[in-house]
Amino acid sequence: MSLMKSADIRHQLSQSIAEAIKAKFKLELSAPPVVTYAQAGFGDFASNAPFQLAKQLGKAPKTIAEELAGIIKHPDLNQAEAAGAGYINLTMSESYWISRLEAIDSDYLRGDEGKGRKLQVEFISANPTGPLTLANARGGFLGDVLANVMAARGYEVTREYYVNDGGGQVDKLVDSLKAEVGLPIDGERQYVGDYVTELATQVDPSAYKDDEKLSRDAVQALLGEIKRVVGDLGIIFDEWASERELIESGATEKVIVELRAKGLVYSKDDAEWLASSKFGDERDRVLVKADGGYTYLVNDLAYHLAIFGSRGYARAIKLWGADHAGQVASLKLTMEQLVPDARLDFVLMQFVRLIRGGKELKMSKRAGTYVTVEELLAALEEGVGRRYAASVARWFFLMRSSDNRIDFDLDLASEQSQQNPYFYVMYAYARAHSILAKAKQNELVAASTTDELNAGELTLVRLMSRLPELVYDVSVDFEVHRLSFFGLELAKAFQEYYEGTRIIDLEAKQAAKKLYFVQQYIIFMDLYWALLGIEPVKRLTED
């Protein structure tokens, strides 16, 4: 039996249609016929090739479909039939779908596109000047799952948090702390809230005599809190890179030297400018200000030059807030000049609103101006318990495309019922485990395979066979939210299967076949949960 993945079978069916076209009409196509997934009740796959040929052949698409359907050949094809105004519906054999069920194992989602290539996924990277925000949580979960996806496709993935501890925001934090304890500062303080009051008493009092020490002590204290909260979210970073250490290493001077050597720097108005408009940027950018200070672009360029240079990465994916969109082009275009073979991608995320009772929750006593990740988790714990809070948060943040704003429905997320999409999907998984538990009680043992699939099983296998291709697609377009919608569709199909299929009270041989199917579904779902970074729950209980 064939063990082809769904993308492979669609490619092969496309070739089969092309061969039929060549045999019937003596035509060599410039592009392969498109084969898509069919709607329910219209076979397994479908092609609109007859519509593409109608003008060239001077025939109606329906006539072309009828002439082609009977001569399309493929060893796993059960039936090809003309349908509608000119579509070709393709139905695979039962043995093919059984082979897809048997193919589910620990390597089911593995690909080799990234084999031997180092990839950095950098996300969250919030300034170490305060508690993490809801936007940071969104980027954290999205980056973590994207890292899982890329690892599944063979990349050697590093999760990295870039600590912006060398910029002006840290200086503003220092001023805010000094103001908190009554010391004079120039201008107004920027950071307020209980956390500033707490931090002001935590740092060594002697630090207030030395801005450099105060800066380092404050950053280390806040970074420790950030690491703790990141851990609560279930995220583990491989690297915590320091901007301050990068600057102290001389990397910023190095990148300026390289840009000068390439003739990409010029002087004007006592400043040094990057001639980025020469290679596609909308305007030139300042690198060195009139006072001799470097702009943030220099730090960014130095960081990424190290990533693709001394650190040996072939690719990097950056998850940034949409408010940083204006910085993308200059960084990306300049890196193409510095390291032409490097691949630098960006995922830009829209902001998050927390909604309760139909109203937005904006203020936080601790942060002063925004709701923190800790406050979100605490609110969820009140509703679903500590065991599920982080997983529920992860699921809800992963449900929307990164380029769409999230209105996080705290009321729905706090509900431990099947109305909550996280629990709906997890409940289907728990039901599968309950079947195996009941089978064990009744001394029923799963078979090593099956030779038949009922309608519900066929629906589920068709859906499960799509995930490898979906994972590949997400590795290309970074649309992680599609994995959540896939899980909901699969859970609905399994709930219907559970309600409509007898297993435990069947004769032992028949039950064994069904138990094999349930086992394969559980293996599949374990892979799915691992991809999403969610710990699966075999038995849902009140926490």
Side-chain angles (χ1 to χ4, degrees), residues 387 426 429-434 522 526 536-540:
R387 181 183 187 186
M426 192 61 77
Y429 176 80
R431 275 185 151 180
H433 275 284
S434 73
I522 288 174
D526 285 339
V537 181
K538 297 180 181 180
R539 184 170 178 268
L540 291 171

Side-chain angles (χ1 to χ4, degrees), residues 41-212:
F42 294 92
D44 299 317
F45 302 97
S47 178
N48 65 353
F51 290 94
Q52 298 170 316
L53 296 170
K55 184 176 181 179
Q56 189 173 1
L57 294 175
K59 295 183 177 183
K62 184 175 182 179
T63 301
I64 298 171
E66 290 170 346
E67 292 177 350
L68 288 175
I71 61 173
I72 297 173
K73 305 297 181 184
H74 187 281
D76 288 317
L77 183 64
N78 184 56
Q79 183 182 37
E81 58 181 343
Y87 294 95
I88 299 174
N89 292 339
L90 306 160
T91 302
M92 309 307 291
S93 66
E94 184 179 44
S95 63
Y96 168 76
W97 291 116
I98 290 173
S99 76
R100 297 306 308 136
L101 179 65
E102 293 172 333
I104 296 172
D105 60 15
S106 60
D107 293 325
Y108 189 63
L109 303 179
R110 292 289 172 191
D112 60 5
E113 305 91 52
K115 186 176 181 181
R117 301 184 70 198
K118 290 178 64 178
L119 165 68
Q120 181 213 60
V121 182
E122 183 230 319
F123 54 102
I124 301 183
S125 298
N127 291 327
T129 54
L132 294 180
T133 70
L134 299 184
N136 297 146
R138 181 178 198 179
F141 291 135
L142 182 58
D144 195 42
V145 177
L146 188 54
N148 288 338
V149 167
M150 303 308 286
R153 305 314 297 176
Y155 286 93
E156 299 173 17
V157 176
T158 297
R159 291 168 169 81
E160 183 152 315
Y161 189 118
Y162 182 44
V163 182
N164 299 123
D165 54 356
Q169 292 303 314
V170 173
D171 295 335
K172 293 176 182 179
L173 174 64
V174 167
D175 283 346
S176 298
L177 289 170
K178 291 166 72 173
E180 182 68 29
V181 298
L183 295 175
I185 62 172
D186 295 329
E188 296 184 5
R189 63 183 289 181
Q190 177 165 330
Y191 296 104
V192 296
D194 285 356
Y195 86 91
V196 179
T197 303
E198 295 166 7
L199 183 60
T201 60
Q202 289 173 3
V203 297
D204 187 336
S206 66
Y208 288 99
K209 300 176 183 178
D210 180 351
D211 284 2
E212 179 66 19

Side-chain angles (χ1 to χ4, degrees), residues 18 31 34 40 53 66 114 151 194 206 238 248 257 268 309 357 391 427 503:
V34 175
L53 296 170
E66 290 170 346
D194 285 356
S206 66
D238 303 300
E248 292 174 349
V257 169
K268 186 180 76 170
S391 292
Y427 190 52
I503 297 179

Side-chain angles (χ1 to χ4, degrees), residues 511-527:
K513 296 178 184 179
K514 302 297 182 190
L515 292 173
Y516 168 74
F517 178 86
V518 173
Q519 280 187 345
Q520 290 299 95
Y521 168 80
I522 288 174
I523 292 172
F524 177 88
M525 287 304 299
D526 285 339
L527 296 174

Side-chain angles (χ1 to χ4, degrees), residues 209-222:
K209 300 176 183 178
D210 180 351
D211 284 2
E212 179 66 19
K213 177 174 173 53
L214 181 58
S215 171
R216 290 182 182 273
D217 288 356
V219 165
Q220 285 307 306
L222 287 173

Side-chain angles (χ1 to χ4, degrees), residues 158-441:
T158 297
R159 291 168 169 81
E160 183 152 315
Y161 189 118
Y162 182 44
V163 182
N164 299 123
D165 54 356
Q169 292 303 314
V170 173
D171 295 335
K172 293 176 182 179
L173 174 64
V174 167
D175 283 346
S176 298
L177 289 170
K178 291 166 72 173
E180 182 68 29
V181 298
L183 295 175
I185 62 172
D186 295 329
E188 296 184 5
R189 63 183 289 181
Q190 177 165 330
Y191 296 104
V192 296
D194 285 356
Y195 86 91
V196 179
T197 303
E198 295 166 7
L199 183 60
T201 60
Q202 289 173 3
V203 297
D204 187 336
S206 66
Y208 288 99
K209 300 176 183 178
D210 180 351
D211 284 2
E212 179 66 19
K213 177 174 173 53
L214 181 58
S215 171
R216 290 182 182 273
D217 288 356
V219 165
Q220 285 307 306
L222 287 173
L223 195 57
E225 182 175 335
I226 288 171
K227 289 181 177 181
R228 176 180 58 78
V229 175
V230 164
D232 289 342
L233 296 178
I235 298 170
I236 299 175
F237 282 100
D238 303 300
E239 298 285 348
W240 294 77
S242 165
E243 181 185 23
R244 184 194 295 264
E245 292 178 4
L246 181 81
I247 295 170
E248 292 174 349
S249 74
T252 48
E253 287 80 4
K254 179 182 178 182
V255 77
I256 292 290
V257 169
E258 292 211 22
L259 289 169
R260 286 173 181 154
K262 289 181 177 291
L264 299 176
V265 178
Y266 67 92
S267 297
K268 186 180 76 170
D269 300 331
D270 297 324
E272 289 195 74
W273 294 70
L274 175 67
S276 50
S277 60
K278 289 184 177 179
F279 45 85
D281 201 358
E282 61 182 6
R283 58 184 174 85
D284 291 349
R285 310 282 175 167
V286 176
L287 294 174
V288 185
K289 295 177 287 187
D291 64 5
Y294 290 151
T295 62
Y296 199 79
L297 176 59
V298 175
N299 294 356
D300 265 353
L301 290 170
Y303 175 51
H304 289 86
L305 183 60
I307 290 168
F308 295 119
S310 60
R311 297 178 63 186
Y313 287 93
R315 285 190 69 181
I317 302 173
K318 307 288 166 169
L319 288 91
W320 286 7
D323 55 327
H324 293 284
Q327 302 170 26
V328 170
S330 55
L331 176 57
K332 189 177 177 70
L333 290 168
T334 307
M335 288 310 303
E336 289 174 357
Q337 300 298 310
L338 291 170
V339 190
D341 294 335
R343 180 172 173 184
L344 178 59
D345 294 302
F346 291 85
V347 178
L348 299 178
M349 298 166 294
Q350 293 295 332
F351 62 92
V352 180
R353 299 195 312 167
L354 187 62
I355 308 297
R356 172 180 271 171
K359 297 180 179 180
E360 181 181 1
L361 299 178
K362 294 183 178 180
M363 297 301 291
S364 160
K365 185 172 185 293
R366 180 142 207 275
T369 56
Y370 59 87
V371 179
T372 69
V373 173
E374 280 189 287
E375 288 166 335
L376 172 63
L377 292 178
L380 289 173
E381 285 180 20
E382 291 180 8
V384 301
R386 184 173 182 80
R387 181 183 187 186
Y388 303 118
S391 292
V392 169
R394 180 178 287 247
W395 182 274
F396 272 69
F397 276 114
L398 293 174
M399 284 176 61
R400 294 290 179 267
S401 171
S402 61
D403 56 10
N404 289 334
R405 184 188 74 191
I406 288 180
D407 282 348
F408 192 106
D409 188 341
L410 187 56
D411 295 317
L412 179 59
S414 299
E415 187 176 323
Q416 190 169 339
S417 74
Q418 290 196 63
Q419 298 303 311
N420 182 325
Y422 163 80
F423 286 106
Y424 180 78
V425 179
M426 192 61 77
Y427 190 52
Y429 176 80
R431 275 185 151 180
H433 275 284
S434 73
I435 293 171
L436 296 189
K438 290 176 183 177
K440 185 176 181 180
Q441 292 173 1

